[in-house]
Amino acid sequence: GIAHYAEDDYHGIARRDRLGELTVSGDYLVNRNVGLHLAYNYLSQNSSGALKGASYNDHRITLSATLQY
């Protein structure tokens, strides 16, 4: 998994953004020809100040299949 955190202060304007991200993923080989990949990603932004941007929480789940021969 991967975790990331950052704070952005904007010079000249009243705004601060706090960003956090977490990604966890795994692979499963069903057989020698088929593989599955599952990933979860969480992204959060908290913005404050007079000119603040959008604050949000985003959850994403991705499932993909790989076929090989």
Side-chain angles (χ1 to χ4, degrees), residues 2-3 11 18 23 26 29 36 39 49 62:
I2 298 171
H11 298 286
R18 292 182 176 98
T23 301
L29 188 59
L36 299 175
T62 305

Side-chain angles (χ1 to χ4, degrees), residues 4-58:
H4 175 76
Y5 178 80
E7 285 192 20
D8 294 327
D9 287 319
Y10 294 83
H11 298 286
I13 63 172
R15 179 176 173 178
R16 172 185 278 177
D17 292 346
R18 292 182 176 98
L19 306 151
E21 182 175 11
L22 173 67
T23 301
V24 178
S25 65
D27 296 301
Y28 177 70
L29 188 59
V30 177
N31 58 40
R32 61 184 287 176
N33 301 104
V34 179
L36 299 175
H37 177 79
L38 179 65
Y40 169 74
N41 179 261
Y42 171 73
L43 179 62
S44 176
Q45 175 173 303
N46 182 344
S47 187
S48 61
L51 298 173
K52 67 181 180 177
S55 294
Y56 60 87
N57 294 312
D58 184 41

